[in-house]
Amino acid sequence: FLDQARLRLRRFCQALRAAAGAGHFDQAAAEIGFGPAPQDPLQPFTIKLPGGELRIEGKIDRIDTCQRDGRLGLCVIDYKSTKRTFPFGRFYHGLELQLLSYLLVLIEGYRTAGQEAEPAGALYLPILPEVTSHDALPPAEVLAGTGPAEEAAVRASGLLSSAWLAGFDGGVGAGGKSVHYGFGYKKSGELNQALSRGVVSPTEMKTLLG
């Protein structure tokens, strides 16, 4: 079991390194708490109610940032054991609010510090790779965890702002798709909706946060 854990960790770190090299987002912080405790860098998320207020406290697994053309993009990442996609239906009914609550907390934190930032992404990142069945054994480098297939095995999914796609993975051209994030393009250069179900426009992202 320990050997398996080591192998999974090594492959996961390889995937993180490959994703970081594909774009311009860099990890800015990890395990950032928001709440009333003195050690929490961010304030709790407060919602005004008729009889008082609701304060939400928690901890953000990871925060990535990107500076481009004088703009600051923010992305929150929540580590999960297995692959997850953004649950639009559950979000609509108020049953799954975690990721966007994190993003709201972060944007408000930057605003309080006097810096305006744009919501670029809210992602789940699976620690365990996706499993695919094959009739034959994969190449030796894949079994050893050194092949390109291992880098593609861990893919972040969730919400991405279309304005920041090149910041996440700048190597995706017409007719291609990202191996690290859930988006791709048609040969015409337009966004391929079938490959980009979690991609929303900046206006749509603002509406979701609202």
Side-chain angles (χ1 to χ4, degrees), residues 6 10 20 24 26 34 42 54-56 63 70 75 86 91 99-100 104 124-125 144 161-162 193 198:
R6 287 197 188 100
R10 178 162 62 87
H24 302 283
D26 296 312
F34 55 96
L42 299 172
L54 171 67
R55 294 194 304 176
I56 301 174
I63 298 169
C75 177
F86 186 77
F91 172 79
L99 275 184
L100 289 187
L104 280 172
Y124 298 113
L125 187 60
S161 170
S162 58
Q193 297 297 336

Side-chain angles (χ1 to χ4, degrees), residues 62-93:
R62 176 175 145 193
I63 298 169
D64 283 12
T65 61
C66 177
Q67 290 271 9
R68 299 198 79 185
D69 304 322
R71 298 152 54 213
L72 174 64
L74 300 179
C75 177
V76 296
I77 293 176
D78 190 51
Y79 291 113
K80 296 295 184 186
S81 57
T82 56
K83 180 183 177 181
R84 291 187 62 179
T85 57
F86 186 77
F88 282 98
R90 292 179 62 81
F91 172 79
Y92 177 81
H93 290 287

Side-chain angles (χ1 to χ4, degrees), residues 93-112:
H93 290 287
L95 302 175
E96 190 77 41
L97 305 175
Q98 180 187 22
L99 275 184
L100 289 187
S101 295
Y102 286 171
L103 199 51
L104 280 172
V105 168
L106 190 58
I107 290 171
E108 183 59 32
Y110 271 81
R111 184 177 294 123
T112 300

Side-chain angles (χ1 to χ4, degrees), residues 7 14 20 22 31 34 68-69 96 103 122 128 138 140 163 172 184 188 196:
L7 179 60
Q14 288 173 345
E31 292 290 306
F34 55 96
R68 299 198 79 185
D69 304 322
E96 190 77 41
L103 199 51
L128 300 179
V172 186
S188 63
S196 315

